[in-house]
Amino acid sequence: MRNFILMYLGTHCPFEQFVINSISKYFTLITKLGWFDSDEFREIVNDFSKFIESSPVLRLSGFQVLAFFVTDMNLPSQILKNISRNRKTVVNFRDSQLHQIFRLSLSTLLNLIQGKNMLDIDNQKLAEVILDLIKACLTFDFIGTNVDESTEDIGSVQIPVAWRPTLSDPLTLRTIFHTFKLLNPPKSAKAFECISVLVATRRTLFSEEERAKFIKSIMQELIKILHSPQAFNDQSNYHEFCRILSRFKTVYQLSDICKIDIYQEFINIVTDFTIKSLQSLQTSLNSIQYLLVFWSKMVTTVGQSKPQEDEDLHEMTSQIIQAFLNARIENNIEEIEENLDRDANITILENISNLIRFSYKNNSIFLIKYIEMLAIDYRDIIDRIISNSIPIQVQESIKKIEDKFVWLINVCAMVVGSRIPYQSSDEDDIIDGEICCKVMQLLNLNQMWMTQKPMFIPNNKLEMSFINFFSNFRKSYIGDTNQRTSKVFQPLSEMFSINDQYLLMDYIFQKIITNLKCWARDKTIISETLDLFNDLTSGYSSVRIIRKLDTAKYILANHYNFQFLEIPENFKKNRLTYYSSLSRLLFADDTYETEFNEFFKNHDIKLKELEKLNDIESFRQENVRCIIEGIFRDLRGFTMACTQKRNFWLFFDWIYPYHDVILKAIESNYDHPVSITVLRFLSELAYNRSSRLNFEITSANGILLFREISKIIGTYGNLILTRITTEDRKYTDIYKGIIVCFNILENAFKGRYISFGVMKLYGDKALTEAINTYYKLMLYVPLSDMINIPKLSKAHFSLLETFSNEQMMDADNFNSEAFLYIIKSCAEGIKLFNSSISTEACAVINQICTTVFKENEKSINSNSKPHIIVEFLNQYPQTLSFLLHNLLDVVIFEDCPNNWSYSRPLLGLIILAKDEFISYSNKLIQCQIPERKEDFSQQMAKLMENVEDNLSNKNRDTFTQNLVVFRREMNNNMVALVNINDNNNSYINVTNDDSSMMTVL
């Protein structure tokens, strides 16, 4: 087939590009499959040399297929599921063929540019395809990392040592640079793409002398291009050139570059290029970010250079910063940044902050100067607006100034936030304080402007920038790890009388309260403000400082009086974050018990009003649903932050009397999303976070809580299963609630704060009812949905693992239908690529096998009633065989994500179904081709070497080691096994004449 494809390619050229892609895809797949079967599959260079030495049409098609082939060899195969085997093929191709392909492409390109007319369209096309091949070779996944990561702009290209002579040859670089000069845009950018990878070649590839020559060659070629500005008329060329500079400095140290005799010429011309780029309005910020990376890397390693070079860099970076600030301020920021993605914007700000802090004293002067200059204009316009009417022109002017403030404040935020604790000098801290003063002056001016309603024109971006600044300032100067006596407070004390963290946090807290009051309808600002609130209350010492503030006491006393709480858009994350922060704030003082009831006074009133509602229709009113939604989101957020027993017990004692309200709310609204909110609160309440639910031995709270959980889940489960919905709405209407119920039961079973044995002893049916509801919910979901819907699958297997460890083996109400469903779901779960789910499925099977093994041992000397699991296995004798076949299929034919997890249940199944294991092994051996039978038979025998018929930890570990060796030998010998299920599809069917449920497990 492979030879036929090559022959067909050679006799039917030319093809359209999509045909070439299809031919290349099949050629690559066939070559991968047969790579180790015959030498002819590994003669790639010889096969394609015939095309390259033939006619121009065949040469072009040959390079197109070869470029696709190299790229596709680098990618994971959908057919070759064995990752180890696929990687071994790739490594062998890399070592035996890739370098030859790279040299072939270089020599062909050199001959093309030396002996042909490059103005010819066909030659330009051929050069473009060859450059694609060169790039595919250079960006190959040499060391087995993720393909996307190996081609990132950060990091070096891990080219093998065998390539050193080729890359050390100056002709390699000159060939590609010369190709750039001969190609027309945008094809010429292809050459720059290759160069951007070449310049990122790992520095350890070369000796010190070779490295110096390589770096000098790069710098010489870059200087030549910089002396020809017409090369940058095309935007793609300009962008790729900026990437070249960025990657060049990312890989090579400043000390390497400084040693080159043309360093001064190089750095001077790059400085001029950078300044001109910053000053040009046509320059994309997406390209400029790469230039800034170059300079950021230069200054972060400045200690490796000479003092004179340090001084030159200080001067150059100051010029760059001044040019950058001036360009941003003099032009319309809104238009410049409107097409800039968020990640690129953050990258620019990070690199600018590194440059500013490099020569902080000088650069801060420019920064503060621009802030003061704009502040004067801002104050002047505000005064004019207050004293007169609002002309349209004035409105536009204030909007432009505020947009420039947004950018400047974000720069200040990143500069202050990039401070390194314990390494920053007192002088730098003072400058941070001065910048903070300027931002606070702007904030006060803006606050004054906000009071001029209705003339005030809201600017949410400006508010976001203020929040961003205080968030970054908090990271650097507020918290447990920061110095309380930092010099940053010196200018703050002189201008605002703020001389410590206490007063500064009071100022920030006032801003938080202002935002919560004035920006209630802006979801983004509220979210960012609450994130800042959350950060401030997350620190051990900072939350205790805040607790003493009058502003903190105000918000605790009036936490329910903020308008944003009434906006539906804030009901999700924002209310959770708000009450989590308030919870930490409330419990930060040892006297919180006296304030607790007052804090929940408003919620208490609403819950008492709900308690008075007797009929279902009352709970289904929209205003009542809105109240329920708000209350239980608040309580869930509050409970999430209760990690101390004392705090949680106080909350539990308050909320428990309202368990009937919770039940009524869910019962009345089972078909409405509000029920999910209440169930999620119940899930959090049942979660033994930090052992907070480990009540005193004299307390019955654990049992009381589980009784209510059982009652609520039973009520909701019975109702939700009667709900009629469409197939496309099933997840939203039914499955979402089932997922939360599974989470509640998992938290209750896993928490270990309930003595379930006592409930059984005294005839409490709460556990039995909860388990019955669990079975109903589980059996309602088709197995295909349970496996294929990620959130449902995760919740199911997570609960199932906990349930099998805690309750399943002792449950009296374990029915055969639930048992069969669990067996089938585990058989599917072990095949999933999600390692957590497959591990949990293995744990369930292992628990079943362990229980059966122990019960079999007990039954030898006892005539007691068999365990319920043993009874099921007697009723359905093919169950163990079914599980064994599925587990062996995964272990032998697939890539197990965790050998340890799979070995545990596999040993138990082999011991319990030994005859079936022997039969399976014999059939598998017989299905192999003759030359593989003996070797595979030996490996199967070694799998059980020194393994005894018991499930002791020592025996399990021995089997796990054997399994690891077995899989390694299979991969190392590249054994392509034939799955017996391909020859006999009925082999894995589990049937039982007495029950139709086991027709196909």
Side-chain angles (χ1 to χ4, degrees):
M1 178 61 74
R2 179 177 178 277
N3 292 334
F4 171 76
I5 291 176
L6 291 173
M7 183 182 68
Y8 184 83
L9 183 67
T11 56
H12 290 78
C13 283
F15 297 103
E16 295 291 337
Q17 186 61 48
F18 73 91
V19 178
I20 290 288
N21 291 346
S22 297
I23 291 174
S24 304
K25 180 179 179 180
Y26 287 112
F27 177 78
T28 305
L29 178 59
I30 292 170
T31 303
K32 273 189 175 183
L33 289 171
W35 188 263
F36 289 99
D37 292 341
S38 174
D39 291 341
E40 68 175 3
F41 286 90
R42 300 190 292 274
E43 298 295 331
I44 304 299
V45 175
N46 291 337
D47 291 334
F48 282 93
S49 294
K50 300 172 185 177
F51 287 87
I52 294 166
E53 295 169 359
S54 186
S55 65
V57 174
L58 286 176
R59 185 183 302 121
L60 178 63
S61 298
F63 274 115
Q64 286 176 324
V65 174
L66 198 54
F68 188 97
F69 173 79
V70 172
T71 302
D72 209 38
M73 282 290 287
N74 208 15
L75 301 175
S77 174
Q78 299 294 329
I79 305 298
L80 296 173
K81 295 182 180 179
N82 190 313
I83 299 174
S84 301
R85 175 176 178 147
N86 186 64
R87 184 59 199 168
K88 191 169 183 179
T89 302
V90 171
V91 169
N92 190 276
F93 167 73
R94 177 200 68 190
D95 295 340
S96 63
Q97 297 291 310
L98 187 60
H99 187 206
Q100 295 182 50
I101 294 173
F102 179 65
R103 292 174 59 187
L104 176 65
S105 59
L106 276 176
S107 61
T108 307
L109 182 62
L110 180 61
N111 293 333
L112 179 66
I113 63 177
Q114 285 180 340
K116 300 287 184 181
N117 178 16
M118 289 304 295
L119 296 178
D120 183 73
I121 296 177
D122 292 336
N123 290 334
Q124 291 251 336
K125 176 63 176 177
L126 179 60
E128 182 184 13
V129 173
I130 295 174
L131 289 172
D132 285 334
L133 176 57
I134 291 174
K135 183 184 176 184
C137 293
L138 292 172
T139 57
F140 197 81
D141 191 10
F142 294 104
I143 59 174
T145 58
N146 180 276
V147 178
D148 291 336
E149 292 176 358
S150 67
T151 56
E152 283 291 328
D153 291 309
I154 57 174
S156 55
V157 180
Q158 302 299 313
I159 291 178
V161 176
W163 293 41
R164 181 196 296 172
T166 305
L167 296 186
S168 299
D169 187 351
L171 186 61
T172 300
L173 272 174
R174 284 203 300 267
T175 298
I176 301 178
F177 272 105
H178 189 58
T179 304
F180 164 77
K181 297 173 184 176
L182 296 176
L183 292 178
N184 298 323
K187 292 183 176 65
S188 54
K190 295 277 188 180
F192 271 171
E193 290 177 14
C194 296
I195 294 167
S196 71
V197 184
L198 268 177
V199 299
T201 303
R202 62 186 177 96
R203 62 191 303 276
T204 53
L205 179 68
F206 308 105
S207 65
E208 188 171 348
E209 182 180 352
E210 289 173 335
R211 187 186 309 127
K213 290 181 180 178
F214 184 72
I215 294 173
K216 184 174 181 179
S217 298
I218 294 172
M219 294 168 66
Q220 285 175 333
E221 295 295 342
L222 293 180
I223 290 171
K224 290 178 184 177
I225 292 175
L226 287 169
H227 279 305
S228 305
Q230 64 273 13
F232 304 121
N233 291 337
D234 181 74
Q235 181 58 39
S236 57
N237 284 345
Y238 173 82
H239 183 77
E240 290 300 327
F241 185 82
C242 294
R243 289 186 65 203
I244 291 171
L245 290 174
S246 170
R247 302 199 71 178
F248 176 58
K249 182 58 196 74
T250 299
V251 175
Y252 296 101
Q253 300 173 1
L254 182 59
S255 56
D256 295 329
I257 301 173
C258 290
K259 293 176 184 177
I260 309 302
D261 54 9
I262 59 172
Y263 164 75
Q264 201 60 49
E265 180 187 1
F266 172 76
I267 201 67
N268 286 336
I269 195 169
V270 171
T271 302
D272 292 339
F273 173 73
T274 304
I275 292 173
K276 290 177 181 177
S277 298
L278 295 174
Q279 292 172 343
S280 173
L281 284 177
Q282 283 71 40
T283 305
S284 169
L285 282 179
N286 283 313
S287 301
I288 284 179
Q289 66 172 314
Y290 292 111
L291 283 177
L292 296 177
V293 168
F294 170 84
W295 286 104
S296 178
K297 297 291 184 182
M298 289 289 286
V299 301
T300 51
T301 56
V302 73
Q304 305 168 5
S305 59
K306 299 175 183 177
Q308 177 59 42
E309 289 154 357
D310 286 0
E311 186 177 336
D312 292 341
L313 273 177
H314 279 285
E315 178 62 29
M316 291 172 185
T317 52
S318 294
Q319 292 176 19
I320 291 169
I321 290 298
Q322 189 170 4
F324 190 69
L325 292 175
N326 187 64
R328 303 284 82 78
I329 297 303
E330 294 298 325
N331 298 296
N332 193 321
I333 300 301
E334 186 75 17
E335 293 177 2
I336 293 174
E337 299 187 347
E338 62 181 0
N339 296 320
L340 188 66
D341 62 81
R342 185 175 182 273
D343 291 339
N345 200 14
I346 291 175
T347 301
I348 288 173
L349 291 174
E350 287 176 348
N351 290 313
I352 281 292
S353 66
N354 290 336
L355 293 177
I356 291 176
R357 290 198 79 94
F358 174 64
S359 185
Y360 203 14
K361 185 176 181 180
N362 293 332
N363 291 332
S364 63
I365 293 174
F366 300 134
L367 190 59
I368 292 173
K369 182 189 76 172
Y370 285 116
I371 294 175
E372 291 175 342
M373 178 182 69
L374 287 174
I376 293 172
D377 294 340
Y378 192 48
R379 181 58 185 262
D380 179 61
I381 293 177
I382 291 174
D383 290 341
R384 288 164 54 196
I385 292 176
I386 295 174
S387 59
N388 302 303
S389 58
I390 316 177
I392 297 298
Q393 295 80 2
V394 174
Q395 291 185 23
E396 293 175 353
S397 297
I398 202 167
K399 178 70 167 54
K400 288 181 179 180
I401 291 178
E402 287 181 342
D403 287 343
K404 293 175 182 180
F405 272 143
V406 169
W407 187 84
L408 278 175
I409 295 171
N410 283 330
V411 170
C412 293
M414 199 62 73
V415 168
V416 173
S418 61
R419 171 184 180 266
I420 302 176
Y422 307 110
Q423 293 185 19
S424 179
S425 65
D426 289 345
E427 184 181 15
D428 289 347
D429 288 353
I430 291 173
I431 295 173
D432 283 343
E434 292 173 352
I435 290 175
C436 184
C437 287
K438 296 302 177 185
V439 173
M440 289 169 65
Q441 284 178 325
L442 284 177
L443 175 58
N444 292 343
L445 187 58
N446 182 254
Q447 297 284 87
M448 182 195 74
W449 170 226
M450 286 178 65
T451 61
Q452 303 301 315
K453 296 180 179 179
M455 293 180 289
F456 170 65
I457 308 167
N459 190 328
N460 58 351
K461 290 184 179 180
L462 184 59
E463 286 300 323
M464 293 285 288
S465 67
F466 284 128
I467 298 170
N468 183 36
F469 178 82
F470 287 122
S471 295
N472 280 275
F473 193 89
R474 181 203 63 81
K475 294 175 187 176
S476 295
Y477 290 102
I478 299 175
D480 302 336
T481 60
N482 297 297
Q483 302 176 15
R484 296 175 183 241
T485 57
S486 171
K487 294 289 185 180
V488 74
F489 293 106
Q490 183 175 314
L492 287 169
S493 176
E494 294 172 358
M495 188 167 294
F496 292 97
S497 300
I498 296 175
N499 52 24
D500 58 18
Q501 289 189 21
Y502 180 87
L503 295 174
L504 182 60
M505 281 194 277
D506 185 48
Y507 183 91
I508 296 174
F509 223 75
Q510 290 178 25
K511 176 59 181 171
I512 290 173
I513 292 174
T514 300
N515 281 5
L516 296 181
K517 287 180 177 179
C518 300
W519 295 92
R521 297 192 176 278
D522 193 307
K523 180 183 175 182
T524 306
I525 290 179
I526 292 295
S527 178
E528 293 295 325
T529 301
L530 291 176
D531 285 342
L532 176 58
F533 184 20
N534 184 64
D535 291 338
L536 287 170
T537 56
S538 294
Y540 179 83
S541 60
S542 61
V543 71
R544 279 157 177 76
I545 294 174
I546 295 172
R547 187 67 168 83
K548 300 174 184 178
L549 300 175
D550 291 337
T551 46
K553 295 174 182 177
Y554 170 82
I555 200 171
L556 285 173
N558 301 276
H559 60 89
Y560 47 82
N561 279 338
F562 291 97
Q563 186 185 357
F564 82 92
L565 294 171
E566 308 300 325
I567 309 299
E569 288 78 10
N570 293 315
F571 272 25
K572 294 185 179 179
K573 177 189 171 185
N574 288 345
R575 289 189 77 143
L576 292 177
T577 305
Y578 180 56
Y579 274 92
S580 292
S581 304
L582 288 173
S583 177
R584 287 189 292 270
L585 190 59
L586 175 67
F587 293 131
D589 192 352
D590 292 335
T591 62
Y592 63 81
E593 291 184 6
T594 59
E595 300 179 33
F596 182 85
N597 289 331
E598 184 63 28
F599 179 84
F600 276 116
K601 182 179 179 181
N602 189 59
H603 290 80
D604 222 7
I605 293 171
K606 291 181 179 179
L607 286 169
K608 281 183 169 57
E609 291 175 352
L610 292 174
E611 209 170 23
K612 296 176 183 178
L613 302 177
N614 296 320
D615 59 308
I616 290 178
E617 289 304 318
S618 298
F619 275 89
R620 293 180 66 85
Q621 298 177 46
E622 283 304 317
N623 62 320
V624 175
R625 283 174 171 171
C626 188
I627 292 172
I628 294 172
E629 178 90 12
I631 287 176
F632 288 101
R633 283 194 185 275
D634 297 346
L635 297 183
R636 180 183 164 207
F638 188 90
T639 313
M640 288 168 67
C642 289
T643 56
Q644 301 294 322
K645 289 183 181 180
R646 180 186 169 196
N647 305 344
F648 184 80
W649 292 356
L650 180 65
F651 176 79
F652 182 85
D653 290 339
W654 173 79
I655 191 61
Y656 180 75
Y658 296 112
H659 58 79
D660 285 338
V661 175
I662 299 175
L663 178 60
K664 289 178 183 177
I666 291 176
E667 184 180 14
S668 305
N669 296 283
Y670 74 92
D671 56 350
H672 189 274
V674 72
S675 62
I676 304 297
T677 300
V678 183
L679 286 172
R680 283 176 175 157
F681 163 71
L682 187 63
S683 178
E684 181 61 36
L685 195 66
Y687 184 28
N688 194 12
R689 191 189 299 273
S690 302
S691 302
R692 65 189 183 183
L693 277 165
N694 292 344
F695 296 103
E696 298 291 348
I697 195 170
T698 56
S699 173
N701 284 347
I703 292 177
L704 293 175
L705 175 60
F706 186 77
R707 280 182 179 176
E708 298 307 319
I709 289 173
S710 176
K711 189 187 300 182
I712 291 169
I713 287 183
T715 302
Y716 177 79
N718 290 329
L719 290 171
I720 198 67
L721 296 183
T722 63
R723 187 175 181 184
I724 300 174
T725 187
T726 58
E727 193 66 29
D728 59 322
R729 291 280 307 172
K730 187 175 283 189
Y731 177 82
T732 303
D733 293 344
I734 299 178
Y735 290 168
K736 189 178 288 188
I738 291 177
I739 290 171
V740 183
C741 288
F742 284 177
N743 293 336
I744 295 171
L745 287 173
E746 181 192 0
N747 290 340
F749 290 147
K750 190 185 289 185
R752 294 183 177 274
Y753 53 86
I754 307 159
S755 179
F756 290 110
V758 171
M759 301 178 75
K760 183 178 180 181
L761 182 65
Y762 288 99
D764 192 331
K765 297 182 179 180
L767 177 60
T768 302
E769 291 172 354
I771 292 176
N772 284 335
T773 303
Y774 166 48
Y775 291 155
K776 290 178 184 178
L777 294 175
M778 178 178 67
L779 293 171
Y780 175 83
V781 183
L783 185 60
S784 59
D785 288 351
M786 190 70 84
I787 296 299
N788 297 324
I789 299 176
K791 289 185 179 180
L792 189 58
S793 181
K794 182 178 183 298
H796 168 65
F797 283 102
S798 185
L799 170 58
L800 194 55
E801 181 188 18
T802 303
F803 181 61
S804 66
N805 289 331
E806 302 293 333
Q807 304 302 328
M808 187 170 79
M809 301 309 161
D810 298 322
D812 295 330
N813 56 335
F814 196 19
N815 60 68
S816 60
E817 192 176 0
F819 172 75
L820 296 180
Y821 190 95
I822 290 172
I823 294 296
K824 289 187 282 186
S825 65
C826 288
E828 294 298 322
I830 60 176
K831 302 174 186 177
L832 298 178
F833 287 105
N834 187 314
S835 59
S836 63
I837 290 178
S838 59
T839 298
E840 288 162 350
C842 286
V844 176
I845 298 174
N846 179 52
Q847 187 64 31
I848 293 173
C849 292
T850 303
T851 300
V852 173
F853 183 82
K854 291 179 179 179
E855 292 297 324
N856 288 345
E857 287 186 329
K858 288 181 185 178
S859 64
I860 296 175
N861 301 317
S862 173
N863 294 323
S864 60
K865 181 182 177 182
H867 191 278
I868 187 69
I869 300 293
V870 177
E871 290 183 355
F872 287 148
L873 293 180
N874 291 334
Q875 184 180 358
Y876 308 111
Q878 294 297 316
T879 302
L880 293 177
S881 301
F882 171 71
L883 290 174
L884 179 63
H885 294 160
N886 279 275
L887 202 52
L888 284 171
D889 286 347
V890 174
V891 168
I892 296 176
F893 299 104
E894 306 289 345
D895 280 308
C896 296
N898 189 337
N899 285 322
W900 187 92
S901 297
Y902 282 84
S903 69
R904 263 37 193 175
L906 182 57
L907 177 60
L909 289 169
I910 290 174
I911 293 174
L912 293 173
K914 186 176 294 184
D915 293 340
E916 194 62 43
F917 173 69
I918 294 172
S919 174
Y920 179 96
S921 301
N922 291 335
K923 288 184 178 181
L924 186 59
I925 292 170
Q926 293 304 315
C927 287
Q928 309 309 311
I929 58 178
E931 56 265 29
R932 292 180 184 151
K933 285 185 179 180
E934 182 178 354
D935 182 69
F936 182 63
S937 177
Q938 293 174 359
Q939 295 302 327
M940 289 295 291
K942 289 180 181 178
L943 183 62
M944 301 304 295
E945 196 172 56
N946 299 324
V947 177
E948 302 173 358
D949 287 346
N950 64 68
L951 295 179
S952 64
N953 289 334
K954 181 180 179 181
N955 198 48
R956 287 178 184 271
D957 291 340
T958 300
F959 181 74
T960 301
Q961 293 171 7
N962 289 353
L963 181 62
V964 172
V965 172
F966 171 80
R967 289 183 52 77
R968 185 172 63 241
E969 290 299 320
M970 291 295 100
N971 290 328
N972 289 343
N973 295 328
M974 302 305 296
V975 177
L977 298 173
V978 179
N979 192 331
I980 58 176
N981 298 326
D982 294 339
N983 299 326
N984 186 4
N985 292 328
S986 63
Y987 188 73
I988 62 169
N989 288 348
V990 182
T991 61
N992 186 283
D993 296 336
D994 300 327
S995 175
S996 61
M997 283 183 280
M998 290 291 290
T999 301
V1000 178
L1001 271 173

